[in-house]
Amino acid sequence: MIDRFDGVISGLGTPAGLRVVVGHWPRSPLGSFTDVMVERPDGHRLLLAPSEPVAEFVTATYTFDEVVLGPVDHVERGNRRQVTAGPLECAWTVGGRAALGLLLRAVPGPLQTNRRWVAALDVVARLVLPGVRTVGSAGQGRREYYCARDLHRITDAVVRWEGVDQGGPARVEPPVRFGFGSTPAAPGHTRITTLVERR
């Protein structure tokens, strides 16, 4: 059985060392939702989740030191995005398509979500994008496939954590450690389909 999540992942770092990964999922087995994964400069990993079912699914798939339940508000206006969740306030601008985005767009639609194709791309991803993986363990005997469809740059951002300005955007360095792979180091907004295969 395959659980399919269609949406976008936005990842960025900050000069203060906070790294933020926002997943916005208009279509999923859990309905439409947004969740946020944060790694602080000290390595503490947090999940900001809008509901218990979302938290249960995500924590069964990824590893966190802390889970914060509460509203996760996602606002989209043109090329501007804003998320407010618990101690986080984050707003960013989606810029032009990155070179990798052009390559991803050239892949035929059915192939983009073909699990064998995505697994084959994992070798390339490891070489070209340090820390990035396209396939790996989703825990509990499941396997996860990241089917990237497009990639845009994040050109500017404002990030606040517990009311303190973190600056931004900056590279996601070191890579985040929630699961088997990190978001790309360069701040980016990736259109993606995530497949979780249950065995």
Side-chain angles (χ1 to χ4, degrees), residues 149-188:
R149 297 167 167 268
D150 200 354
L151 174 63
H152 286 250
R153 301 177 187 90
I154 290 177
T155 56
D156 67 77
V158 177
V159 182
R160 294 183 180 275
W161 182 258
E162 296 180 337
V164 179
D165 185 8
Q166 304 294 303
R171 291 176 65 82
V172 182
E173 292 178 338
V176 291
R177 302 171 301 116
F178 310 118
F180 61 81
S182 175
T183 185

mmCIF file of all heavy atoms in Angstrom, residues 149-188:
data_model
loop_
_atom_site.group_PDB
_atom_site.id
_atom_site.type_symbol
_atom_site.label_atom_id
_atom_site.label_comp_id
_atom_site.label_asym_id
_atom_site.label_seq_id
_atom_site.Cartn_x
_atom_site.Cartn_y
_atom_site.Cartn_z
ATOM 1 N N ARG A 149 9.554 17.430 -8.303
ATOM 2 C CA ARG A 149 8.986 17.766 -9.609
ATOM 3 C C ARG A 149 9.460 19.125 -10.121
ATOM 4 O O ARG A 149 9.432 19.384 -11.330
ATOM 5 C CB ARG A 149 7.457 17.791 -9.516
ATOM 6 C CG ARG A 149 6.834 16.439 -9.171
ATOM 7 C CD ARG A 149 5.370 16.619 -8.791
ATOM 8 N NE ARG A 149 4.664 15.351 -8.757
ATOM 9 C CZ ARG A 149 4.012 14.817 -9.773
ATOM 10 N NH1 ARG A 149 4.000 15.420 -10.932
ATOM 11 N NH2 ARG A 149 3.381 13.674 -9.644
ATOM 12 N N ASP A 150 9.870 20.006 -9.224
ATOM 13 C CA ASP A 150 10.287 21.354 -9.604
ATOM 14 C C ASP A 150 11.047 21.959 -8.426
ATOM 15 O O ASP A 150 10.874 21.523 -7.276
ATOM 16 C CB ASP A 150 9.068 22.216 -9.957
ATOM 17 C CG ASP A 150 9.421 23.428 -10.813
ATOM 18 O OD1 ASP A 150 10.624 23.675 -11.056
ATOM 19 O OD2 ASP A 150 8.492 24.138 -11.236
ATOM 20 N N LEU A 151 11.885 22.934 -8.701
ATOM 21 C CA LEU A 151 12.660 23.582 -7.643
ATOM 22 C C LEU A 151 12.851 25.051 -7.969
ATOM 23 O O LEU A 151 13.325 25.401 -9.058
ATOM 24 C CB LEU A 151 14.022 22.897 -7.491
ATOM 25 C CG LEU A 151 15.018 23.540 -6.526
ATOM 26 C CD1 LEU A 151 14.474 23.535 -5.100
ATOM 27 C CD2 LEU A 151 16.373 22.833 -6.588
ATOM 28 N N HIS A 152 12.457 25.900 -7.030
ATOM 29 C CA HIS A 152 12.661 27.341 -7.144
ATOM 30 C C HIS A 152 13.555 27.824 -6.004
ATOM 31 O O HIS A 152 13.576 27.233 -4.918
ATOM 32 C CB HIS A 152 11.320 28.084 -7.078
ATOM 33 C CG HIS A 152 10.500 27.955 -8.319
ATOM 34 N ND1 HIS A 152 10.274 29.013 -9.180
ATOM 35 C CD2 HIS A 152 9.855 26.889 -8.861
ATOM 36 C CE1 HIS A 152 9.521 28.610 -10.191
ATOM 37 N NE2 HIS A 152 9.245 27.323 -10.019
ATOM 38 N N ARG A 153 14.254 28.907 -6.256
ATOM 39 C CA ARG A 153 15.082 29.507 -5.214
ATOM 40 C C ARG A 153 14.211 30.258 -4.211
ATOM 41 O O ARG A 153 13.143 30.775 -4.566
ATOM 42 C CB ARG A 153 16.086 30.478 -5.824
ATOM 43 C CG ARG A 153 17.038 29.858 -6.833
ATOM 44 C CD ARG A 153 17.954 30.929 -7.427
ATOM 45 N NE ARG A 153 18.760 30.371 -8.503
ATOM 46 C CZ ARG A 153 18.390 30.355 -9.777
ATOM 47 N NH1 ARG A 153 17.204 30.845 -10.124
ATOM 48 N NH2 ARG A 153 19.170 29.841 -10.699
ATOM 49 N N ILE A 154 14.659 30.330 -2.985
ATOM 50 C CA ILE A 154 14.092 31.261 -2.003
ATOM 51 C C ILE A 154 15.007 32.469 -1.998
ATOM 52 O O ILE A 154 16.208 32.356 -1.706
ATOM 53 C CB ILE A 154 13.985 30.617 -0.610
ATOM 54 C CG1 ILE A 154 12.899 29.535 -0.626
ATOM 55 C CG2 ILE A 154 13.693 31.665 0.455
ATOM 56 C CD1 ILE A 154 12.757 28.785 0.687
ATOM 57 N N THR A 155 14.468 33.634 -2.345
ATOM 58 C CA THR A 155 15.322 34.804 -2.562
ATOM 59 C C THR A 155 15.470 35.687 -1.336
ATOM 60 O O THR A 155 16.456 36.408 -1.213
ATOM 61 C CB THR A 155 14.780 35.645 -3.730
ATOM 62 O OG1 THR A 155 13.418 36.014 -3.459
ATOM 63 C CG2 THR A 155 14.832 34.848 -5.028
ATOM 64 N N ASP A 156 14.489 35.676 -0.466
ATOM 65 C CA ASP A 156 14.633 36.414 0.792
ATOM 66 C C ASP A 156 13.692 35.805 1.817
ATOM 67 O O ASP A 156 12.747 35.102 1.473
ATOM 68 C CB ASP A 156 14.371 37.913 0.622
ATOM 69 C CG ASP A 156 12.927 38.222 0.272
ATOM 70 O OD1 ASP A 156 12.085 38.169 1.186
ATOM 71 O OD2 ASP A 156 12.641 38.521 -0.905
ATOM 72 N N ALA A 157 13.984 36.066 3.081
ATOM 73 C CA ALA A 157 13.171 35.500 4.152
ATOM 74 C C ALA A 157 13.354 36.315 5.423
ATOM 75 O O ALA A 157 14.388 36.950 5.632
ATOM 76 C CB ALA A 157 13.558 34.049 4.415
ATOM 77 N N VAL A 158 12.318 36.267 6.244
ATOM 78 C CA VAL A 158 12.377 36.827 7.596
ATOM 79 C C VAL A 158 11.979 35.704 8.538
ATOM 80 O O VAL A 158 10.910 35.108 8.391
ATOM 81 C CB VAL A 158 11.420 38.028 7.758
ATOM 82 C CG1 VAL A 158 11.445 38.530 9.198
ATOM 83 C CG2 VAL A 158 11.801 39.141 6.794
ATOM 84 N N VAL A 159 12.842 35.394 9.493
ATOM 85 C CA VAL A 159 12.596 34.282 10.412
ATOM 86 C C VAL A 159 12.723 34.781 11.852
ATOM 87 O O VAL A 159 13.731 35.398 12.211
ATOM 88 C CB VAL A 159 13.593 33.128 10.184
ATOM 89 C CG1 VAL A 159 13.274 31.961 11.119
ATOM 90 C CG2 VAL A 159 13.562 32.664 8.728
ATOM 91 N N ARG A 160 11.695 34.511 12.639
ATOM 92 C CA ARG A 160 11.737 34.829 14.067
ATOM 93 C C ARG A 160 11.472 33.561 14.866
ATOM 94 O O ARG A 160 10.596 32.782 14.516
ATOM 95 C CB ARG A 160 10.707 35.899 14.434
ATOM 96 C CG ARG A 160 10.985 37.261 13.828
ATOM 97 C CD ARG A 160 9.964 38.307 14.291
ATOM 98 N NE ARG A 160 10.234 39.601 13.721
ATOM 99 C CZ ARG A 160 11.085 40.482 14.244
ATOM 100 N NH1 ARG A 160 11.730 40.175 15.375
ATOM 101 N NH2 ARG A 160 11.296 41.637 13.670
ATOM 102 N N TRP A 161 12.239 33.389 15.933
ATOM 103 C CA TRP A 161 12.070 32.237 16.824
ATOM 104 C C TRP A 161 11.936 32.767 18.243
ATOM 105 O O TRP A 161 12.826 33.451 18.737
ATOM 106 C CB TRP A 161 13.261 31.288 16.717
ATOM 107 C CG TRP A 161 13.152 30.062 17.558
ATOM 108 C CD1 TRP A 161 13.770 29.817 18.748
ATOM 109 C CD2 TRP A 161 12.355 28.905 17.272
ATOM 110 N NE1 TRP A 161 13.420 28.586 19.228
ATOM 111 C CE2 TRP A 161 12.554 27.992 18.336
ATOM 112 C CE3 TRP A 161 11.506 28.549 16.225
ATOM 113 C CZ2 TRP A 161 11.919 26.750 18.375
ATOM 114 C CZ3 TRP A 161 10.882 27.311 16.269
ATOM 115 C CH2 TRP A 161 11.090 26.429 17.330
ATOM 116 N N GLU A 162 10.788 32.494 18.845
ATOM 117 C CA GLU A 162 10.471 33.027 20.170
ATOM 118 C C GLU A 162 10.640 34.540 20.203
ATOM 119 O O GLU A 162 11.132 35.116 21.165
ATOM 120 C CB GLU A 162 11.344 32.350 21.238
ATOM 121 C CG GLU A 162 11.070 30.859 21.368
ATOM 122 C CD GLU A 162 11.918 30.176 22.414
ATOM 123 O OE1 GLU A 162 13.003 30.706 22.754
ATOM 124 O OE2 GLU A 162 11.501 29.095 22.904
ATOM 125 N N GLY A 163 10.234 35.179 19.091
ATOM 126 C CA GLY A 163 10.255 36.627 18.983
ATOM 127 C C GLY A 163 11.600 37.232 18.639
ATOM 128 O O GLY A 163 11.706 38.448 18.473
ATOM 129 N N VAL A 164 12.626 36.415 18.484
ATOM 130 C CA VAL A 164 13.975 36.917 18.205
ATOM 131 C C VAL A 164 14.300 36.739 16.720
ATOM 132 O O VAL A 164 14.162 35.640 16.177
ATOM 133 C CB VAL A 164 15.031 36.178 19.057
ATOM 134 C CG1 VAL A 164 16.438 36.690 18.729
ATOM 135 C CG2 VAL A 164 14.733 36.354 20.539
ATOM 136 N N ASP A 165 14.720 37.814 16.079
ATOM 137 C CA ASP A 165 15.054 37.775 14.655
ATOM 138 C C ASP A 165 16.261 36.868 14.424
ATOM 139 O O ASP A 165 17.310 37.035 15.041
ATOM 140 C CB ASP A 165 15.364 39.193 14.181
ATOM 141 C CG ASP A 165 15.596 39.277 12.686
ATOM 142 O OD1 ASP A 165 15.377 38.272 11.984
ATOM 143 O OD2 ASP A 165 15.997 40.355 12.209
ATOM 144 N N GLN A 166 16.100 35.890 13.522
ATOM 145 C CA GLN A 166 17.168 34.942 13.204
ATOM 146 C C GLN A 166 17.922 35.320 11.932
ATOM 147 O O GLN A 166 18.907 34.659 11.580
ATOM 148 C CB GLN A 166 16.582 33.534 13.026
ATOM 149 C CG GLN A 166 15.798 33.028 14.211
ATOM 150 C CD GLN A 166 16.689 32.825 15.423
ATOM 151 O OE1 GLN A 166 17.668 32.080 15.366
ATOM 152 N NE2 GLN A 166 16.357 33.479 16.529
ATOM 153 N N GLY A 167 17.450 36.395 11.250
ATOM 154 C CA GLY A 167 18.040 36.741 9.966
ATOM 155 C C GLY A 167 17.626 35.733 8.911
ATOM 156 O O GLY A 167 16.807 34.855 9.146
ATOM 157 N N GLY A 168 18.187 35.893 7.722
ATOM 158 C CA GLY A 168 17.911 34.890 6.701
ATOM 159 C C GLY A 168 17.632 35.488 5.350
ATOM 160 O O GLY A 168 17.483 36.691 5.208
ATOM 161 N N PRO A 169 17.634 34.661 4.327
ATOM 162 C CA PRO A 169 17.901 33.219 4.370
ATOM 163 C C PRO A 169 19.394 32.915 4.290
ATOM 164 O O PRO A 169 20.181 33.738 3.838
ATOM 165 C CB PRO A 169 17.172 32.696 3.137
ATOM 166 C CG PRO A 169 17.314 33.835 2.154
ATOM 167 C CD PRO A 169 17.239 35.099 2.977
ATOM 168 N N ALA A 170 19.758 31.716 4.728
ATOM 169 C CA ALA A 170 21.135 31.242 4.631
ATOM 170 C C ALA A 170 21.093 29.765 4.250
ATOM 171 O O ALA A 170 20.026 29.151 4.218
ATOM 172 C CB ALA A 170 21.861 31.431 5.963
ATOM 173 N N ARG A 171 22.247 29.223 3.961
ATOM 174 C CA ARG A 171 22.307 27.810 3.577
ATOM 175 C C ARG A 171 21.926 26.905 4.748
ATOM 176 O O ARG A 171 22.116 27.271 5.913
ATOM 177 C CB ARG A 171 23.716 27.471 3.087
ATOM 178 C CG ARG A 171 24.037 28.134 1.748
ATOM 179 C CD ARG A 171 25.463 27.876 1.323
ATOM 180 N NE ARG A 171 25.733 26.472 1.046
ATOM 181 C CZ ARG A 171 25.442 25.853 -0.101
ATOM 182 N NH1 ARG A 171 24.841 26.521 -1.081
ATOM 183 N NH2 ARG A 171 25.742 24.577 -0.269
ATOM 184 N N VAL A 172 21.363 25.759 4.419
ATOM 185 C CA VAL A 172 20.989 24.769 5.432
ATOM 186 C C VAL A 172 22.241 23.956 5.755
ATOM 187 O O VAL A 172 22.495 22.893 5.192
ATOM 188 C CB VAL A 172 19.842 23.866 4.933
ATOM 189 C CG1 VAL A 172 19.421 22.882 6.012
ATOM 190 C CG2 VAL A 172 18.648 24.702 4.480
ATOM 191 N N GLU A 173 23.045 24.507 6.632
ATOM 192 C CA GLU A 173 24.319 23.887 7.004
ATOM 193 C C GLU A 173 24.511 23.993 8.508
ATOM 194 O O GLU A 173 24.381 25.098 9.062
ATOM 195 C CB GLU A 173 25.481 24.562 6.272
ATOM 196 C CG GLU A 173 25.464 24.314 4.771
ATOM 197 C CD GLU A 173 26.589 25.025 4.027
ATOM 198 O OE1 GLU A 173 27.128 26.021 4.579
ATOM 199 O OE2 GLU A 173 26.921 24.591 2.926
ATOM 200 N N PRO A 174 24.838 22.849 9.171
ATOM 201 C CA PRO A 174 24.951 21.506 8.590
ATOM 202 C C PRO A 174 23.580 20.977 8.174
ATOM 203 O O PRO A 174 22.552 21.555 8.532
ATOM 204 C CB PRO A 174 25.544 20.685 9.744
ATOM 205 C CG PRO A 174 25.099 21.400 10.980
ATOM 206 C CD PRO A 174 25.098 22.858 10.622
ATOM 207 N N PRO A 175 23.550 19.867 7.423
ATOM 208 C CA PRO A 175 22.262 19.294 7.000
ATOM 209 C C PRO A 175 21.388 18.953 8.206
ATOM 210 O O PRO A 175 21.897 18.597 9.270
ATOM 211 C CB PRO A 175 22.669 18.017 6.249
ATOM 212 C CG PRO A 175 24.086 18.273 5.817
ATOM 213 C CD PRO A 175 24.694 19.103 6.898
ATOM 214 N N VAL A 176 20.073 19.076 8.044
ATOM 215 C CA VAL A 176 19.155 18.703 9.124
ATOM 216 C C VAL A 176 19.148 17.191 9.302
ATOM 217 O O VAL A 176 19.441 16.431 8.379
ATOM 218 C CB VAL A 176 17.726 19.228 8.837
ATOM 219 C CG1 VAL A 176 17.690 20.742 8.938
ATOM 220 C CG2 VAL A 176 17.231 18.783 7.469
ATOM 221 N N ARG A 177 18.768 16.753 10.516
ATOM 222 C CA ARG A 177 18.893 15.346 10.886
ATOM 223 C C ARG A 177 17.565 14.754 11.348
ATOM 224 O O ARG A 177 17.501 14.041 12.335
ATOM 225 C CB ARG A 177 19.925 15.201 12.007
ATOM 226 C CG ARG A 177 21.313 15.734 11.671
ATOM 227 C CD ARG A 177 22.213 15.770 12.889
ATOM 228 N NE ARG A 177 21.622 16.629 13.920
ATOM 229 C CZ ARG A 177 21.216 16.178 15.106
ATOM 230 N NH1 ARG A 177 21.317 14.895 15.422
ATOM 231 N NH2 ARG A 177 20.688 17.016 15.991
ATOM 232 N N PHE A 178 16.504 15.028 10.617
ATOM 233 C CA PHE A 178 15.197 14.488 10.994
ATOM 234 C C PHE A 178 14.996 13.056 10.502
ATOM 235 O O PHE A 178 14.356 12.255 11.157
ATOM 236 C CB PHE A 178 14.064 15.364 10.454
ATOM 237 C CG PHE A 178 14.216 16.821 10.765
ATOM 238 C CD1 PHE A 178 14.342 17.749 9.752
ATOM 239 C CD2 PHE A 178 14.247 17.263 12.079
ATOM 240 C CE1 PHE A 178 14.480 19.091 10.029
ATOM 241 C CE2 PHE A 178 14.385 18.605 12.375
ATOM 242 C CZ PHE A 178 14.510 19.528 11.343
ATOM 243 N N GLY A 179 15.514 12.795 9.295
ATOM 244 C CA GLY A 179 15.287 11.491 8.688
ATOM 245 C C GLY A 179 16.503 11.029 7.926
ATOM 246 O O GLY A 179 17.634 11.380 8.256
ATOM 247 N N PHE A 180 16.287 10.269 6.843
ATOM 248 C CA PHE A 180 17.401 9.688 6.105
ATOM 249 C C PHE A 180 18.110 10.699 5.205
ATOM 250 O O PHE A 180 19.203 10.443 4.716
ATOM 251 C CB PHE A 180 16.949 8.479 5.290
ATOM 252 C CG PHE A 180 15.899 8.790 4.251
ATOM 253 C CD1 PHE A 180 16.233 9.332 3.029
ATOM 254 C CD2 PHE A 180 14.556 8.515 4.507
ATOM 255 C CE1 PHE A 180 15.270 9.605 2.075
ATOM 256 C CE2 PHE A 180 13.584 8.778 3.557
ATOM 257 C CZ PHE A 180 13.940 9.323 2.330
ATOM 258 N N GLY A 181 17.484 11.850 4.965
ATOM 259 C CA GLY A 181 18.098 12.854 4.103
ATOM 260 C C GLY A 181 17.709 14.253 4.508
ATOM 261 O O GLY A 181 16.753 14.471 5.253
ATOM 262 N N SER A 182 18.473 15.222 4.012
ATOM 263 C CA SER A 182 18.235 16.628 4.330
ATOM 264 C C SER A 182 17.603 17.333 3.138
ATOM 265 O O SER A 182 17.622 16.836 2.012
ATOM 266 C CB SER A 182 19.556 17.308 4.695
ATOM 267 O OG SER A 182 19.389 18.700 4.906
ATOM 268 N N THR A 183 17.061 18.502 3.397
ATOM 269 C CA THR A 183 16.669 19.397 2.321
ATOM 270 C C THR A 183 17.950 19.926 1.671
ATOM 271 O O THR A 183 19.011 19.923 2.305
ATOM 272 C CB THR A 183 15.812 20.555 2.893
ATOM 273 O OG1 THR A 183 15.317 21.366 1.832
ATOM 274 C CG2 THR A 183 16.616 21.432 3.830
ATOM 275 N N PRO A 184 17.918 20.359 0.398
ATOM 276 C CA PRO A 184 19.134 20.917 -0.216
ATOM 277 C C PRO A 184 19.714 22.064 0.596
ATOM 278 O O PRO A 184 18.984 22.789 1.277
ATOM 279 C CB PRO A 184 18.637 21.399 -1.587
ATOM 280 C CG PRO A 184 17.468 20.524 -1.888
ATOM 281 C CD PRO A 184 16.805 20.281 -0.552
ATOM 282 N N ALA A 185 21.028 22.232 0.516
ATOM 283 C CA ALA A 185 21.691 23.272 1.306
ATOM 284 C C ALA A 185 21.254 24.676 0.882
ATOM 285 O O ALA A 185 21.047 25.552 1.722
ATOM 286 C CB ALA A 185 23.205 23.126 1.188
ATOM 287 N N ALA A 186 21.118 24.901 -0.419
ATOM 288 C CA ALA A 186 20.682 26.212 -0.898
ATOM 289 C C ALA A 186 19.202 26.400 -0.569
ATOM 290 O O ALA A 186 18.397 25.502 -0.832
ATOM 291 C CB ALA A 186 20.910 26.334 -2.396
ATOM 292 N N PRO A 187 18.808 27.546 0.005
ATOM 293 C CA PRO A 187 17.396 27.762 0.324
ATOM 294 C C PRO A 187 16.521 27.543 -0.906
ATOM 295 O O PRO A 187 16.759 28.141 -1.958
ATOM 296 C CB PRO A 187 17.362 29.218 0.793
ATOM 297 C CG PRO A 187 18.750 29.484 1.293
ATOM 298 C CD PRO A 187 19.652 28.691 0.394
ATOM 299 N N GLY A 188 15.527 26.666 -0.770
ATOM 300 C CA GLY A 188 14.739 26.320 -1.941
ATOM 301 C C GLY A 188 13.314 25.924 -1.614
ATOM 302 O O GLY A 188 12.975 25.584 -0.476
#
